[in-house]
Amino acid sequence: MKSDNFVGETCKSKQGVFDLRSALVLYAVTDRHWTGEKTLLEQTTDALCGGATMVQIREKELGDAEFEKEALELQNLCKTFNVPFIVNDNVKLAVKIGADGVHVGQDDMNVIEARKLLGEEKIVGVSAQTVEEAILAEKQGADYLGVGAVFPTGSKLDAIEVPHETLKAICSAVKIPVVAIGGITKDNLGELKGTGIAGISVISALYAQKDIKAAAEDLKKRTSEMLTVQA
């Protein structure tokens, strides 16, 4: 997958070839805190039926066995929709189950080590808050960047808010696609127009909604329109 001219636009997986930029339009990140009458698997099914283009499992409180079981369930679901399935932080689990990739933060395993474990054919996403972090991640082999929090968020209590000017500067500084994260809702995502992002990554804007499928449809429509205007 990697070459001197590779800029992160396409990533292979066991299911085929994903256009990464397209896969980042509506990036769903799981959160079991919002499960009620439905299971996380059912909620994610609704998100995918509504048009979610990528799924990341993010679990901070599950034991290893439970995490693996849930990851395998969601991975199989994503295969049926032919969308990339990404594991947050846990590179060893991603390797074990053959996930499409991982997403790591600045305090997690670095890109070079993650790539060694995963192999060249997998997706490696990295969180970045500054232009310097973004450029370094790209040089180390990241396929995409998650930049935020672009709005105040309650999903990550220690999240650092990233000004939209910085988001735009990051998008201009790197060739790999950038997805905006943190506090994004249907009402404020239009403020990201013109920043150069490839899409949005959301948690509560999907999983906290009563009708997740309808929320996904609306978010995808609004994001696609915003991306068309900024292009």
Side-chain angles (χ1 to χ4, degrees):
M1 182 181 69
K2 296 291 181 182
S3 71
D4 291 340
N5 297 319
F6 181 78
V7 293
E9 292 299 319
T10 306
C11 287
K12 295 180 181 178
S13 80
K14 293 179 70 175
Q15 290 76 56
V17 177
F18 297 116
D19 178 75
L20 186 53
R21 185 169 292 272
S22 298
L24 291 171
V25 171
L26 181 55
Y27 189 169
V29 180
T30 67
D31 189 340
R32 63 176 38 260
H33 291 118
W34 300 107
T35 55
E37 296 179 358
K38 289 189 173 184
T39 65
L40 189 65
L41 183 67
E42 290 171 330
Q43 289 183 319
T44 305
T45 300
D46 289 343
L48 288 165
C49 286
T53 52
M54 196 167 185
V55 173
Q56 177 188 140
I57 182 171
R58 181 176 180 270
E59 293 291 358
K60 299 295 185 181
E61 298 173 3
L62 283 185
D64 291 344
E66 291 177 290
F67 192 0
E68 182 175 340
K69 179 178 182 293
E70 190 166 84
L72 285 168
E73 290 178 346
L74 291 177
Q75 181 182 36
N76 289 330
L77 175 65
C78 288
K79 286 180 180 179
T80 66
F81 284 87
N82 196 35
V83 303
F85 175 69
I86 305 297
V87 176
N88 178 268
D89 292 354
N90 197 328
V91 179
K92 290 183 179 179
L93 176 62
V95 172
K96 183 177 181 180
I97 68 174
D100 294 305
V102 297
H103 185 93
V104 294
Q106 289 294 314
D107 297 325
D108 302 318
M109 183 181 293
N110 67 49
V111 181
I112 296 172
E113 291 302 314
R115 179 66 69 197
K116 285 180 181 178
L117 291 172
L118 285 164
E120 295 298 313
E121 303 302 310
K122 299 297 185 177
I123 302 168
V124 178
V126 180
S127 297
Q129 285 80 39
T130 67
V131 172
E132 292 75 20
E133 289 177 352
I135 291 174
L136 178 59
E138 181 179 42
K139 287 181 177 178
Q140 290 180 335
D143 295 304
Y144 76 88
L145 300 173
V147 177
V150 295
F151 297 105
T153 176
S155 297
K156 188 175 181 181
L157 298 179
D158 60 346
I160 298 172
E161 194 166 340
V162 176
H164 294 175
E165 294 79 9
T166 301
L167 173 63
K168 186 174 183 179
I170 289 173
C171 291
S172 298
V174 298
K175 293 181 179 179
I176 56 176
V178 174
V179 61
I181 62 176
I184 300 170
T185 69
K186 66 177 183 178
D187 298 317
N188 64 21
L189 69 86
E191 296 177 35
L192 302 173
K193 180 176 65 178
T195 55
I197 59 172
I200 61 170
S201 179
V202 293
I203 300 178
S204 61
L206 283 177
Y207 286 91
Q209 306 310 307
K210 185 174 182 180
D211 189 335
I212 293 175
K213 181 175 180 291
E217 290 173 343
D218 185 44
L219 283 170
K220 188 174 183 182
K221 180 177 182 292
R222 290 171 185 262
T223 304
S224 297
E225 290 173 350
M226 181 264 292
L227 295 176
T228 299
V229 170
Q230 81 170 6

